Amino acid sequence: MTRPLIFEISRPGRCATALPALDVPTADLPSSLLRDDLPLPEVSEIDLVRHYTRLSQLNYGVDTGFYPLGSCTMKYNPKINEQMARLPGFARLHPYQDEETAQGALFLMYHLQEFLAEIGGFAAVSLQPAAGAHGELTGVLMMRAYHLDRGDDQRDVILVPDSAHGTNPATTTMSGLKVIEIPSDARGNVDMVALEAACEEHGDRLVGMMLTNPNTLGLFDEHVEEITALVHEHGGLMYGDGANMNALLGIARPGDLGFDVLHYNLHKTFSTPHGGGGPGSGPVGASERLAEFLPLPIVDVDLQRSDDEELFYTFVDPPKSIGRVKAFYGHFGVLVRAYVYIRMLGADGLRRVAEHAVLNANYLKGRLEGTYPLPYDRTCMHEFVLAGPPDDVQAAGVHTLDVAKRLMDYGFHPPTVYFPLIVHEALMIEPTETESLETLDGFVEALLRIADEARADPDLLHAAPHNAPMRRLDEVHAAKKLTLRWKPE
Amino acid sequence: MKLDPKARYTEEHEWARQDGDEIVCGITDHAQESLSDIVYVELPEVGDVFDEEDAFGVVESVKAASDVYMPLGGEITAINEELEDDPELVNQDPYGDGWLIRFAPDAPDDFDGLMDAAAYEAFVAEEEA
Amino acid sequence: MLAAIGARSIKDLFDDVPERVRFPELDLPAALAELDTRWELESLAGSNLTASDCACFLGAGAYNHFVPSVVDAVLNRGEFYTAYTPYQPEISQGTLQAIFEYQTMICDLTGMSVSNASHYDGATATAEAVITAINVHRLKRRKVVVSPFVHPEYRAVVRTYTQGMGLTIVGDENGGSAGLTDLLDEETACLIVQYPDFLGRVEDLSGLAEATHAAGALFVVVTDPIALGMLKPPGEFGADIVVGEGQGLGAGLNFGGPYLGFFASRKKYARKMAGRVVGQTVDAAGERGFVLTLSTREQHIRRERATSNICSNQGLVVLAAAVYMAALGKSGMRQVAELCYHKAHYAQQRIGEINGFSLLDDKPFFKEFVVRCPEPVQRINDYLLDEWDIIGGYDLGLDYAHLQDHMLLCVTEMNSRDEIDVLVEALGEVTS
């Protein structure tokens, strides 16, 4: 089945949009600065719509089915969010307009800052970072700036657990700092002996530690308060990677556990859609001592311009800000969605989110651990990791990748595969709280059947998927014969 | 696991062979096998100078990017330009056509201090255990 | 379910959480039903004054451009917006093919060979261009020359991003652009200009490109994709990397975000480019398909050796841009550009004739131009808003000491002749 590219259905002279005629006199055109040729497609509106409709039908979204991608929190995206974000009063607002004309937007941002601060246990929040990784860069630069501000300029080392998401060490390098990797212990916690040794060795050069808790194994670190105390003792700061906040809403606040700065992922925990890869939003929460380093600007109340009836909201620059991390104020359209989500759940609702996310994950773990190898036999949080297919299946040459591809034939999106790196053949499963019991049971049934299939007919799995819109795609070919754009024949 | 009996080896799975005043260097058969299909090789420029154990390049497969390290310090005198279009040469003939660099070693006598084929074979066996 | 797990209650599942901090009472407003939520949000949105209510002549990096209805129709499809990053390509061909088409169109628009699948916005794309240039030079060149007429916030973001990298960033200290080429030397990794520049002006970049290349540095151009509907693309001037803000391609204003940073470069820099990129391949049945490729540059594989930490990008906004560029296409993009060009020139000519107002210079411009005003810009904008329901231009005095009382006005295809005539009338009464 050939699926044409938009360029292949293009026909000269067609256009999908009718624009108004010019209603002013024409000015001279600077002929030496004009382009000769503009090779963009020419399609009619109906062909355009059909093209994208058919493309969408090749996709699998949360709206299609179960999407247990560990670390991504693929929860249901409420439709009300989409409508509210599109209100003209938000959508047609220019960022540089006078603040007086944007008070509704500023109110929303201010209160979202407050909500996130309350949820995370922080003194202040910036909504500016555009994604989790962006929030990480922000937080690490803030920690670095804090030390430099105190004249502590020999600190250049960040401790990162071996289970950390790749963005953690990459962020460290971007900030001009060095990574010291800390191994995990047999229970999946940070190895305290190794951590103590690292702190002893690098103590006076320690900027801080980046910690995800619950971690990428889905486990709540049993020594988290010892860890934060130890790092603080050596003059370092604690950065929290908030990707796994879905397990903590109303359960524990990172600020209370000793984290100095943390990024939230609104597109994970707070239901804003993943959009095929973005846009996300990665606000950053900061403790009292780091609040003044937050990126500029943040929203505050302007008491001068407020009165008894109404508060006036304005942008202010934190006094020792690390600077701007993007143009304008952040992903406002995404912020609206998160605000709506929090307003509709309230404190009780958020707590139930965490409780059900953790319950669902433990249920799946309980039903699968007899068949699939479980590296860490502990209560998990909102996700858990299996070490691939059953041992006998792996011995016969069937791997996590094959199981993942075969799951597609059962109508499920695969879990996260081959991450975290510390588990061989990792399969990371995160059901989220928005799934029903029958969906979870259906997923378990599928995985159990696939294990049997792997024993009876391994080639069935090696050749999977069989029923997806495409058969298994050749990634080696893509990398060798690099074709990153369409070219006419 | 194939070995070149004339080559010396490093713990990072590079091989080195003397050729006149220069050393030819590449990655071992064991290394290419673990990486599987190699799709790209990043090489230094002729004239670049490195110390022993410095990373001089990267060998990439679809799923991993492995640094390659200097068995000895020296100045790069040649790079294998064939790998630009045919990176799979490293998989097919790691000790021959899949060579990565030639360099002039700072301390040629240090060559004998590198592991020989037997020692490397034992080293790999122990790593796997 | 609890029985299946062997737990007595849900609370037991949280035994690993220190008791001292467990189950905090969060001080948040009580939950709202959908009806009440709508009321609140509509009230908040309604209290804003926007380009829906007023004629808008404000630009400066975010533009009031037309968004055809097909864009939202496509974006609203759940299969697109509720999908994740296409790491499992067999069930993500919709996203992957749309990105591949986007990459192709960005290449054609900018005159470059490769494009990635986006950065967060024009500012961060510019910062990533600097990081790419530094890496192309293998960290041996640490100087960046930047024009003062690159968007002030972009220059600020470049400085924030690179504050831990030991770079020297020069060229924009004094607000004047004379002598940019004088700053080029063998320490320079790249030179960055904006086209059209922050003041809306357009000039031939060949001389700058040549000088930059002569110094062995990369020529980076920050551009406006709407302008490229009619203007010569930076690729033809010799750009090595082209970045910019794709907001005008169907993202709408949205109070500053989410927007779209595009990044395109020469073929030889493809492997140094940060961000996700989609490539063509075949499946086991020999059918053409698309996958994320060149992943070994990225953070999840290179980790601390990655040149950038970017993970999520602008996903759905990329789709919007692709739909926009396909919907307008060859003729439509040209037409939008010409509408902006002629309307802006009409406005500039008429305003230049108003007593008390004068034009900054007579250099060629695209859709924005600078006017020296007889009064502070803030005061004029208050007047325009209060009395005429007009959102006025940008106050350049905020960023350029020598441009106090200078307003940057923007005119797009969204401004009718009537609106422009009313603006002229309103400004005409400023000095009376």
Side-chain angles (χ1 to χ4, degrees):
Chain A
M1 192 207 335
T2 350
R3 254 172 236 126
L5 291 166
I6 190 93
F7 318 104
E8 292 163 338
I9 62 172
S10 173
R11 295 289 180 274
R14 292 184 184 165
C15 180
T17 312
L19 290 161
L22 188 62
D23 57 358
V24 298
T26 53
D28 287 332
L29 291 166
S31 57
S32 63
L33 293 171
L34 294 180
R35 66 187 304 153
D36 300 316
D37 182 30
L38 184 56
L40 288 178
E42 298 177 86
V43 294
S44 61
E45 187 171 329
I46 189 173
D47 285 340
L48 181 82
V49 170
R50 285 182 176 157
H51 177 77
Y52 285 104
T53 300
R54 295 212 194 123
L55 282 184
S56 76
Q57 291 165 343
L58 302 173
N59 254 19
Y60 184 103
V62 174
D63 279 2
T64 315
F66 189 45
Y67 219 120
L69 270 181
S71 231
C72 303
T73 311
M74 302 299 292
K75 67 174 71 184
Y76 173 69
N77 308 127
K79 304 315 171 199
I80 176 99
N81 291 357
E82 298 307 306
Q83 287 199 3
M84 298 299 97
R86 286 171 164 83
L87 290 170
F90 294 139
R92 310 267 341 264
L93 192 57
H94 191 295
Y96 288 151
Q97 282 176 221
D98 198 295
E99 286 177 354
E100 227 175 79
T101 62
Q103 285 297 297
L106 291 168
F107 176 104
L108 187 148
M109 287 181 70
Y110 178 80
H111 288 281
L112 182 61
Q113 285 172 188
E114 298 281 288
F115 294 162
L116 291 175
E118 174 66 10
I119 288 166
F122 291 104
V125 167
S126 162
L127 302 173
Q128 197 179 76
H134 206 203
E136 287 178 40
L137 180 64
T138 301
V140 172
L141 288 177
M142 283 167 63
M143 299 200 302
R144 178 180 173 273
Y146 171 88
H147 291 300
L148 289 175
D149 181 60
R150 288 156 55 95
D152 227 347
D153 56 6
Q154 82 289 1
R155 291 179 182 269
D156 63 353
V157 153
I158 299 252
L159 309 177
V160 180
D162 58 3
S163 59
H165 193 280
T167 49
N168 289 185
T171 296
T172 303
T173 303
M174 273 180 96
S175 309
L177 305 172
K178 271 195 5 249
V179 173
I180 303 285
E181 198 175 80
I182 310 293
S184 306
D185 68 16
R187 286 185 63 76
N189 301 314
V190 168
D191 184 326
M192 289 307 293
V193 172
L195 180 63
E196 274 155 21
C199 286
E200 279 306 308
E201 192 186 331
H202 303 285
D204 55 352
R205 293 184 48 203
L206 191 59
V207 170
M209 181 174 192
M210 294 179 85
L211 186 66
T212 312
N213 189 48
N215 61 23
T216 60
L217 298 165
L219 302 170
F220 193 97
D221 199 301
E222 291 166 315
H223 311 120
V224 65
E225 290 192 299
E226 282 174 58
I227 292 171
T228 58
L230 184 63
V231 170
H232 287 152
E233 213 180 282
H234 288 270
L237 296 164
M238 285 301 300
Y239 180 85
D241 181 323
N244 292 333
M245 277 289 294
N246 212 40
L248 296 184
L249 301 169
I251 305 297
R253 307 193 317 168
D256 297 340
L257 291 168
F259 287 91
D260 297 289
V261 58
L262 170 124
H263 82 263
Y264 305 79
N265 294 74
L266 299 187
H267 48 295
K268 296 185 180 189
T269 318
F270 296 96
S271 87
T272 76
H274 283 80
S281 177
V284 167
S287 60
E288 283 293 347
R289 58 178 170 165
L290 281 185
E292 48 188 357
F293 297 92
L294 283 169
L296 58 91
I298 60 174
V299 183
D300 204 351
V301 174
D302 184 345
L303 292 168
Q304 304 276 35
R305 296 174 76 174
S306 303
D307 59 33
D308 294 329
E309 306 283 293
E310 245 180 283
L311 294 177
F312 189 88
Y313 298 94
T314 187
F315 284 115
V316 298
D317 292 347
K320 296 183 178 171
S321 174
I322 55 166
R324 207 170 241 299
V325 296
K326 79 181 291 301
F328 312 116
Y329 316 123
H331 282 173
F332 182 76
V334 179
L335 303 178
V336 173
R337 292 168 168 88
Y339 179 88
V340 170
Y341 183 72
I342 295 172
R343 285 302 269 124
M344 289 190 70
L345 285 177
D348 293 339
L350 290 174
R351 163 102 179 240
R352 271 203 312 280
V353 164
E355 288 178 343
H356 289 191
V358 171
L359 175 64
N360 284 358
N362 278 285
Y363 177 76
L364 282 182
K365 177 173 80 70
R367 291 214 48 201
L368 290 168
E369 63 188 336
T371 319
Y372 281 75
L374 182 72
Y376 301 96
D377 190 8
R378 283 174 54 184
T379 303
C380 64
M381 292 287 96
H382 63 310
E383 66 192 6
F384 64 99
V385 179
L386 298 170
D391 292 335
D392 63 314
V393 166
Q394 283 194 50
V398 173
H399 300 291
T400 286
L401 187 68
D402 303 308
V403 172
K405 300 300 182 190
R406 184 62 180 151
L407 266 170
M408 293 179 197
D409 290 332
Y410 281 83
F412 294 108
H413 191 285
T416 299
V417 296
Y418 299 106
F419 180 79
L421 302 175
I422 58 171
V423 174
H424 188 59
E425 294 283 318
L427 256 173
M428 196 195 327
I429 297 171
E430 179 184 356
T432 85
E433 72 285 1
T434 55
E435 301 295 337
S436 68
L437 184 57
E438 56 271 22
T439 303
L440 299 180
D441 285 336
F443 181 68
V444 169
E445 297 308 319
L447 276 176
L448 295 177
R449 281 185 63 180
I450 289 172
D452 288 336
E453 282 178 348
R455 293 175 179 117
D457 183 8
D459 285 335
L460 182 69
L461 269 69
H462 289 312
H466 302 273
N467 308 330
M470 298 219 73
R471 304 299 302 278
R472 199 178 293 200
L473 284 149
D474 189 344
E475 300 193 3
V476 172
H477 179 81
K480 277 197 199 167
K481 260 207 87 190
L482 213 53
T483 308
L484 305 178
R485 60 151 298 157
W486 174 82
K487 272 210 142 67
E489 292 302 309
Chain B
M1 177 179 62
K2 287 191 286 213
L3 291 167
D4 180 342
K6 287 196 299 253
R8 295 281 172 148
Y9 296 82
T10 69
E11 290 188 356
E12 297 295 337
H13 308 288
E14 289 92 19
W15 58 264
R17 240 184 358 246
Q18 280 171 322
D19 184 6
D21 292 330
E22 294 181 337
I23 303 237
V24 191
C25 174
I27 64 168
T28 66
D29 182 57
H30 171 80
Q32 70 76 18
E33 209 170 57
S34 352
L35 282 167
S36 81
D37 298 279
I38 290 168
V39 298
Y40 186 70
V41 181
E42 190 182 298
L43 293 170
E45 277 162 17
V46 171
D48 281 348
V49 172
F50 296 97
D51 291 330
E52 185 174 321
E53 289 175 9
D54 275 353
F56 69 82
V58 186
V59 177
E60 288 184 22
S61 67
V62 171
K63 294 294 181 211
S66 274
D67 288 324
V68 208
Y69 303 94
M70 296 291 279
L72 300 172
E75 180 182 319
I76 309 293
T77 53
I79 60 173
N80 187 350
E81 315 234 345
E82 297 291 317
L83 298 181
E84 169 95 34
D85 289 327
D86 289 309
E88 57 268 22
L89 285 173
V90 179
N91 293 117
Q92 289 159 6
D93 190 13
Y95 301 107
D97 291 335
W99 65 276
L100 297 182
I101 55 166
R102 296 177 69 98
F103 66 94
D106 298 328
D109 294 335
D110 287 352
F111 181 77
D112 293 322
L114 296 170
M115 278 190 282
D116 65 12
Y120 176 66
E121 198 171 19
F123 168 74
V124 170
E126 214 193 287
E127 242 193 7
E128 306 274 270
Chain C
M1 284 175 83
L2 286 169
I5 303 172
R8 281 165 312 148
S9 74
I10 292 183
K11 281 180 135 204
D12 291 346
L13 298 173
F14 296 103
D15 281 344
D16 286 336
V17 179
E19 208 177 322
R20 185 183 67 85
V21 302
R22 213 156 58 196
F23 308 135
E25 288 292 319
L26 295 179
D27 182 15
L28 295 171
L32 289 178
E34 181 170 323
L35 203 59
D36 299 311
T37 306
R38 279 178 183 279
W39 185 89
E40 172 170 321
L41 271 293
E42 283 168 3
S43 167
L44 286 177
S47 71
N48 298 327
L49 260 183
T50 72
S52 279
D53 317 295
C54 309
C56 178
F57 292 96
L58 182 54
Y63 299 102
N64 183 31
H65 281 303
F66 174 61
V67 180
S69 49
V70 286
V71 173
D72 223 36
V74 172
L75 257 48
N76 260 314
R77 295 190 69 84
E79 299 93 331
F80 276 131
Y81 80 86
T82 69
Y84 187 62
T85 305
Y87 287 127
Q88 295 291 355
E90 295 83 11
I91 51 178
S92 314
Q93 287 298 297
T95 299
L96 288 162
Q97 186 172 327
I99 297 174
F100 185 79
E101 293 174 354
Y102 159 87
Q103 285 170 190
T104 304
M105 291 191 272
I106 291 290
C107 286
D108 284 336
L109 201 58
T110 58
M112 306 302 287
S113 300
V114 296
S115 161
N116 72 6
S118 77
H119 288 292
Y120 310 131
D121 67 357
T124 54
T126 307
E128 295 277 8
V130 168
I131 295 172
T132 301
I134 301 292
N135 278 291
V136 163
H137 287 285
R138 293 151 180 260
L139 310 179
K140 294 183 194 147
R141 291 186 179 216
R142 300 262 179 169
K143 181 168 150 186
V144 173
V145 177
V146 62
S147 158
F149 300 112
V150 169
H151 194 302
E153 291 190 3
Y154 289 26
R155 291 182 279 118
V157 169
V158 169
R159 288 185 159 95
T160 308
Y161 254 63
T162 59
Q163 64 190 252
M165 295 179 189
L167 303 185
T168 315
I169 301 174
V170 299
D172 63 338
E173 302 89 35
N174 302 315
S177 67
L180 265 188
T181 44
D182 295 338
L183 295 167
L184 289 164
D185 58 23
E186 68 280 348
E187 290 299 311
T188 313
C190 63
L191 182 146
I192 315 173
V193 291
Q194 185 168 315
Y195 164 89
D197 73 7
F198 187 63
L199 305 189
R201 302 169 305 188
V202 185
E203 61 173 346
D204 186 316
L205 301 175
S206 330
L208 272 174
E210 262 172 60
T212 306
H213 291 145
L218 269 63
F219 188 51
V220 177
V221 179
V222 180
T223 191
D224 172 5
I226 297 293
L228 297 183
M230 68 185 256
L231 294 181
K232 189 171 274 192
E236 283 181 40
F237 288 119
D240 295 295
I241 299 177
V242 178
V243 293
E245 181 50 69
Q247 174 263 338
L249 301 172
L253 286 167
N254 285 298
F255 203 47
Y259 287 173
L260 170 63
F262 59 87
F263 184 114
S265 79
R266 288 185 195 262
K267 192 161 180 195
K268 63 178 170 173
Y269 302 127
R271 294 195 132 83
K272 291 280 187 282
M273 196 169 63
R276 295 174 182 146
V277 73
V278 173
Q280 183 174 313
T281 185
V282 289
D283 75 355
E287 293 292 326
R288 175 177 70 187
F290 302 96
V291 292
L292 288 174
T293 191
L294 289 188
S295 317
T296 49
R297 304 154 300 131
E298 295 186 68
Q299 46 73 28
H300 58 292
I301 293 187
R302 283 280 193 142
R303 299 177 69 88
E304 70 271 9
R305 300 294 301 253
T307 55
S308 167
N309 71 351
I310 187 167
C311 185
S312 287
N313 57 14
Q314 295 308 92
L316 208 65
V317 193
V318 170
L319 180 61
V323 175
Y324 178 93
M325 288 190 280
L328 276 103
K330 189 186 182 79
S331 60
M333 294 257 342
R334 171 123 204 163
Q335 211 182 334
V336 166
E338 287 181 353
L339 285 167
C340 293
Y341 182 87
H342 294 301
K343 286 174 188 261
H345 283 69
Y346 172 72
Q348 190 231 33
Q349 189 238 313
R350 292 209 60 200
I351 293 172
E353 289 165 356
I354 301 174
N355 206 10
F357 290 82
S358 58
L359 305 173
L360 181 68
D361 56 38
D362 58 2
K363 296 198 180 142
F365 65 96
F366 175 58
K367 72 193 183 197
E368 294 182 274
F369 56 94
V370 182
V371 207
R372 187 185 302 121
C373 304
E375 299 201 0
V377 173
Q378 180 64 50
R379 211 182 297 162
I380 296 183
N381 280 338
D382 287 342
Y383 154 75
L384 285 174
L385 191 64
D386 294 339
E387 319 238 346
W388 296 87
D389 285 338
I390 293 175
I391 296 170
Y394 184 80
D395 184 354
L396 289 167
L398 297 171
D399 303 292
Y400 300 94
H402 68 290
L403 292 177
Q404 297 297 329
D405 297 348
H406 284 69
M407 182 188 284
L408 179 68
L409 279 155
C410 176
V411 186
T412 72
E413 75 283 6
M414 297 287 277
N415 299 107
S416 67
R417 182 183 182 139
D418 282 344
E419 280 184 358
I420 300 171
D421 290 341
V422 170
L423 172 68
V424 171
E425 191 187 331
L427 291 175
E429 297 188 8
V430 167
T431 45
S432 60

